[in-house]
Amino acid sequence: MKHVIVLGDGMSDRPLEALDGRTPLMVAEKPQIDGLCARGRCGLFTTVPPGMPPGSAVANLAVLGYDPAKSFRGRGVLEAASMGVDLKPTDIAVRCNLI
């Protein structure tokens, strides 16, 4: 069986006064996403274990079936892995957002 996971990380946004208390996602025309939702299944589960930093890096690991308490070592490690950087046990990976 094949699965597709659609993870709208950060899509929720915040309600805006200019949109009558709705979020941009609530007022957007999104027929493809609406169609997926109509044919899919929805549910709730805890993606960030107690004591772990709340955020998408931890939550996304849980969604993909990993135990974040055992596998999360920071975003720098995830970024390095995504670029194919081979880290040794003595290496430190740091991630930085430039604004």
Side-chain angles (χ1 to χ4, degrees), residues 14 17-18 24 29 32 35 47-49 55 68 79:
R14 293 199 166 99
E17 224 176 272
E29 289 188 30
Q32 301 304 320
T47 58
V48 179
E79 294 284 340

Side-chain angles (χ1 to χ4, degrees), residues 23-90:
T23 67
L25 186 60
M26 292 168 83
V27 299
E29 289 188 30
K30 50 199 181 314
Q32 301 304 320
I33 292 175
D34 292 342
L36 283 172
C37 292
R39 293 186 305 277
R41 292 187 303 184
C42 293
L44 297 174
F45 67 101
T46 301
T47 58
V48 179
M52 301 253 358
S56 60
V58 172
N60 291 344
L61 285 172
V63 168
L64 295 172
Y66 295 95
D67 179 353
K70 293 180 182 176
S71 57
F72 181 68
R73 297 292 176 258
R75 290 194 80 128
V77 175
L78 294 173
E79 294 284 340
S82 74
M83 295 185 295
V85 175
D86 186 29
L87 294 174
K88 297 176 183 68
T90 56

Side-chain angles (χ1 to χ4, degrees), residues 6-12:
V6 178
L7 187 63
D9 188 20
M11 284 177 56
S12 61

